[in-house]
Amino acid sequence: MLASSGREASVDRPALPVPGKTPVSAFPGMLFLLVVVLAGSPMPVWGDTAEHVSLSAFLQGKKQVLLRPATSSLYWDWTVVPHHMADSPVLTVGYFAGPATPAGSELVVYLDGKVVAAILENPRLPNGRFSIRLGKRPLRPGTYRFRLSLVPGTVPAGRKQAGSWTQVDLDASEISCNLKTVPWKHLDFGRLPEVLAAAGRKNELPLAMDLDGPIRPRLLQAAQQVAAGVALRVRVPVLVSAQSPTADPRRKIAGDLPQVSAILGVEKDLPADLRPAGPASGPVVFLRADPGDPLAIQIVFSGRTTREVLEAAQAFAETRQDLPLGTLWRVLPAGGNTLGYAPQNVAARPGQTLAIHEVALPGTGGEAPYQNAVHFSFWMPGGLFAPRQSRLVLHLNLDTRPASRAVRHPLVTVVANHHWISQWKLSPGVVHYDTSIPFPALRAGQNGVTLDIADGQAGLLPGSTLRMPKTHQYVLLPSLRLLGRTGFPMASGGSGRRLAIWYLDSSAPCWSAGLTLFARLAQASRAALPEAEAVFREPPPDHNVVAVGTLPSLPQAWLEKSPVRPEKTALVWELHAPHSAARRWMGTGNSGAGAYLIETEESAGARNWVLEFLSATPASLREGAENLVLPANWDHLSGDFAWEDRHGGYHAVLLGHRHIYGNRRSGWFWIFLFSASPWLWAGTGFLAVLVAALSAWWYVLRQKAHWKKGDSHEKET
């Protein structure tokens, strides 16, 4: 599998070196390079046989490119995908030299900035063609940058510089190689991120899941943990394809989703070749290569009981750093050793003091020793509310270097989420600083903090921490936008306590849709949610519920509580009638939606919320969930109701009333109410002024009456 990409630039760019090759100096004499536009386009998939791909595939079908000396070069990127090697790669170029080309002109081929060929042109024989071999050894996976340039020959003395050019025939030019598949040789848990990265596509990671044995709630709960464990190790949505070979033995585990699959089951229910070596002595996780596919990897979760299978899956989901060596992981009880439950800190939760390098999101954290701008990002849960005087405290160890001797104290500016926070002067060397950020400047989800250093550089050293203030849980719901960013309110604490995934249908599409949604909730909440239950019957009344299934499978009592009721041929929603006790409904026919997502409060004033993902037919359930979790749809959710159109896109709207989530018996409820509704301050102020005016008026009238009474008494005497 080879892929290509190109990009446009106005000047020549530095090329990447090829490891293991002797450097060769670039051809001198080029002043400026105008890069020919190379729009990126994927190349065809290559197999294990020799193939020939025209260079026009790199240029979206462009036929010719005109090269002029010292003014233009032809660039393209050639990618050898992971787990493949390009054996005997050959570049063939067909060209036509212009009649004014001076003798000694050369076509120079660069590979990652190094000259690999220089071909002399002959103006008397303008049609030319050459082939060069790109190295003696097969090219390993990676991206290789090519450059083709025209270098003119020497013009004889007394002769004017004539314009020369060369036309490259892209249809007659090609790259050929024998692409060989390289299977996994040394497989262990330390290479699990590499396995998942190789299996991922551009915007998604397919995950096949095999549930062996009777499908019980605890086995599906273990499957949820496996989906969460995979999702928390990647940055793309995980699309789960679950099945039960017991119910459908004809279907192969990998199917059309190769490379990574998970297999769950009690030891006695697994096939003989999938059982761990020796009798099971507790929860176990192990890796193995798929015998039928050299690139496919299987992750097997087993134990003597379904409880042990769940423990193995929970350990896999929560332990993402201190993984064992080799391919076999026997999970010990919690606290037994470092390979027990040791969740990685990925969220800054209320009241915690955490090292910045522990909570910093990938790619941030100020890893570089000295920078003009130290930046780190961290993630906060949803539903947090704190008074304006609450502050996040930063304890920073900074190593500062002034830009020059004239500058004694560089100036640092703290910016949080693009808001100016504070500014002070830094002292040279390693110094500890304490600063704070007002809590209203933070937000649910990802937060970014930048330290801009003027007239100097600084590095963020170990020992730097952040301390979250104690907060309360108040927020306006429903809000699918908040759900998409943080998983709130379904995942309100990170543990998944009081959360139930309700599988309405006992079918593979329903399991796949529920597991896909659970994996996305785990990514949104940055937590494995290990206590989240899987239920087949109506969940406990004190739980938040994610209901997954078809429209006929959901009891009507649950739909009656929501402001919208999708039906087979119509969509019905509630009309707002604040002065009427009866609920009025309005509908539209032939909605044509493939799936629906509804967030609603279980009952007025309750802390329990329901997220319903429903489809008209079982066939559209899995596909609807896969479309929902894609960034193009998930990142744009809002309101309380979303529906899928015929093209796989989701549209969202707010149909019901918003409520305040939180304890209404606390005084903080009123503080949040007034902060969320500023007009209440105006109303309260107006009411206070009105009461004061009426009191003053009543007092004046009373005083006048008293004076009149006193005057009349004096007259009588």
Side-chain angles (χ1 to χ4, degrees):
M1 300 178 183
L2 301 178
S4 64
S5 63
R7 52 183 176 268
E8 185 178 357
S10 57
V11 295
D12 193 9
R13 296 177 180 265
L16 299 175
V18 178
K21 293 189 178 181
T22 304
V24 179
S25 59
F27 201 94
M30 291 188 173
L31 299 178
F32 299 97
L33 293 175
L34 178 61
V35 179
V36 179
V37 178
L38 293 175
S41 63
M43 289 180 59
V45 176
W46 288 10
D48 290 338
T49 59
E51 295 288 345
H52 304 268
V53 178
S54 171
L55 292 190
S56 63
F58 296 91
L59 291 160
Q60 294 182 333
K62 195 170 184 179
K63 303 299 183 183
Q64 295 90 21
V65 169
L66 197 66
L67 297 180
R68 297 184 184 277
T71 60
S72 64
S73 291
L74 182 64
Y75 287 83
W76 71 90
D77 290 336
W78 179 44
T79 300
V80 181
V81 297
H83 299 293
H84 292 81
M85 296 186 71
D87 190 18
S88 303
V90 175
L91 171 66
T92 301
V93 177
Y95 63 92
F96 180 88
T101 301
S105 297
E106 296 178 338
L107 277 175
V108 183
V109 181
Y110 299 83
L111 176 60
D112 285 343
K114 301 183 178 93
V115 177
V116 294
I119 309 301
L120 283 173
E121 292 185 334
N122 188 349
R124 298 181 180 180
L125 300 173
N127 284 306
R129 181 182 178 90
F130 65 88
S131 297
I132 58 172
R133 186 169 180 176
L134 306 174
K136 298 180 180 180
R137 298 180 179 179
L139 295 182
R140 300 192 175 193
T143 300
Y144 301 90
R145 161 152 273 215
F146 285 85
R147 187 175 93 194
L148 182 62
S149 300
L150 174 61
V151 180
T154 303
V155 179
R159 183 178 173 185
K160 294 183 179 180
Q161 174 71 45
S164 63
W165 52 266
T166 296
Q167 180 177 275
V168 180
D169 189 347
L170 298 178
D171 275 339
S173 305
E174 63 184 18
I175 293 180
S176 62
C177 77
N178 184 19
L179 195 66
K180 293 185 176 181
T181 302
V182 181
W184 291 99
K185 293 183 179 179
H186 306 288
L187 189 63
D188 55 54
F189 281 100
R191 303 189 69 182
L192 186 59
E194 184 181 349
V195 171
L196 298 178
R201 299 173 184 171
K202 184 178 181 180
N203 294 318
E204 61 194 39
L205 172 64
L207 175 65
M209 193 171 291
D210 190 344
L211 307 176
D212 285 277
I215 307 300
R216 296 189 176 94
R218 186 171 291 166
L219 186 61
L220 267 182
Q221 185 178 355
Q224 292 173 178
Q225 289 300 290
V226 173
V230 173
L232 291 172
R233 288 174 166 88
V234 297
R235 300 186 185 182
V236 296
V238 176
L239 310 183
V240 181
S241 174
Q243 63 171 340
S244 173
T246 305
D248 188 4
R250 298 169 299 175
R251 187 176 175 187
K252 189 180 177 182
I253 172 66
D256 58 344
L257 302 175
Q259 302 224 346
V260 174
S261 58
I263 302 173
L264 296 85
V266 179
E267 183 184 18
K268 64 181 181 62
D269 295 327
L270 292 176
D273 61 331
L274 290 177
R275 297 175 186 173
S281 58
V284 63
V285 185
F286 64 92
L287 304 175
R288 70 190 294 267
D290 188 347
D293 187 345
L295 296 182
I297 300 300
Q298 295 175 340
I299 313 175
V300 183
F301 301 82
S302 185
R304 293 166 296 185
T305 63
T306 54
R307 180 177 294 277
E308 290 187 350
V309 176
L310 175 59
E311 291 177 1
Q314 287 175 333
F316 171 79
E318 293 193 77
T319 307
R320 298 188 290 279
Q321 286 184 327
D322 298 327
L323 293 173
L325 300 175
T327 60
L328 181 63
W329 178 6
R330 295 193 182 276
V331 179
L332 300 181
N337 62 0
T338 57
L339 299 183
Y341 300 115
Q344 179 185 12
N345 292 320
V346 291
R349 302 192 180 277
Q352 286 184 326
T353 299
L354 300 169
I356 289 178
H357 76 272
E358 292 180 349
V359 298
L361 299 178
T364 69
E367 293 88 351
Y370 297 98
Q371 305 172 85
N372 297 105
V374 178
H375 175 78
F376 62 90
S377 296
F378 64 95
W379 185 91
M380 272 188 4
L384 302 184
F385 173 73
R388 291 188 175 273
Q389 61 269 25
S390 297
R391 306 179 76 87
L392 180 144
V393 180
L394 296 175
H395 302 280
L396 305 175
N397 294 329
L398 294 178
D399 186 3
T400 307
R401 285 184 175 180
S404 62
R405 294 183 179 180
V407 179
R408 299 185 59 185
H409 297 283
L411 189 68
V412 60
T413 303
V414 181
V415 179
N417 297 329
H418 306 290
H419 297 291
W420 184 93
I421 301 299
S422 61
Q423 193 175 67
W424 74 89
K425 291 184 178 181
L426 298 173
S427 298
V430 179
V431 181
H432 177 81
Y433 303 92
D434 289 336
T435 186
S436 60
I437 300 174
F439 192 80
L442 305 176
R443 60 194 178 197
Q446 184 171 342
N447 293 265
V449 178
T450 302
L451 308 176
D452 286 320
I453 295 96
D455 300 324
Q457 293 182 328
L460 189 65
L461 301 180
S464 302
T465 62
L466 60 83
R467 186 177 75 244
M468 286 282 292
K470 294 183 179 180
T471 63
H472 307 272
Q473 273 199 335
Y474 287 100
V475 69
L476 285 174
L477 294 179
S479 175
L480 290 177
R481 184 185 302 276
L482 185 62
L483 175 81
R485 288 208 319 261
T486 67
F488 190 86
M490 299 301 151
S492 59
S495 66
R497 186 176 303 167
R498 295 179 57 249
L499 172 62
I501 312 300
W502 186 8
Y503 297 89
L504 300 170
D505 300 327
S506 181
S507 63
C510 183
W511 305 334
S512 302
L515 294 172
T516 298
L517 283 178
F518 188 86
R520 202 65 170 97
L521 281 177
Q523 287 179 324
S525 63
R526 305 296 198 276
L529 310 175
E531 297 183 43
E533 302 177 21
V535 297
F536 294 159
R537 299 179 180 178
E538 289 201 17
D542 60 339
H543 280 49
N544 292 326
V545 179
V546 178
V548 182
T550 57
L551 286 170
S553 61
L554 183 67
Q556 286 297 319
W558 288 76
L559 280 176
E560 287 291 342
K561 300 173 184 177
S562 66
V564 60
R565 293 186 303 183
E567 299 178 353
K568 292 183 179 180
T569 59
L571 188 65
V572 182
W573 62 90
E574 183 181 7
L575 294 177
H576 298 314
H579 302 292
S580 175
R583 301 179 72 181
R584 299 172 55 198
W585 296 87
M586 179 178 180
T588 177
N590 298 325
S591 62
Y596 306 92
L597 184 70
I598 310 168
E599 185 181 27
T600 182
E601 196 174 17
E602 187 173 351
S603 60
R607 291 174 60 88
N608 304 329
W609 284 78
V610 179
L611 184 69
E612 300 163 352
F613 180 76
L614 307 169
S615 69
T617 62
S620 58
L621 192 59
R622 172 186 158 189
E623 182 181 359
E626 292 180 350
N627 291 332
L628 172 65
V629 301
L630 294 179
N633 293 322
W634 186 265
D635 294 343
H636 295 87
L637 292 176
S638 62
D640 60 358
F641 177 66
W643 70 97
E644 181 190 23
D645 60 25
R646 297 178 181 178
H647 304 288
Y650 275 80
H651 310 271
V653 69
L654 177 65
L655 294 177
H657 293 283
R658 283 194 166 180
H659 309 278
I660 295 179
Y661 178 97
N663 184 10
R664 302 193 178 192
R665 297 181 181 180
S666 171
W668 288 102
F669 170 79
W670 298 102
I671 297 176
F672 176 80
L673 178 64
F674 275 80
S675 64
S677 305
W679 59 269
L680 288 177
W681 289 105
T684 303
F686 175 77
L687 182 62
V689 172
L690 180 61
V691 171
L694 290 176
S695 300
W697 178 70
W698 177 79
Y699 177 77
V700 170
L701 290 180
R702 189 175 181 183
Q703 287 295 108
K704 285 183 177 181
H706 180 70
W707 293 336
K708 288 181 179 180
K709 186 177 181 180
D711 292 343
S712 61
H713 180 70
E714 290 180 358
K715 289 180 180 180
E716 290 178 358
T717 57

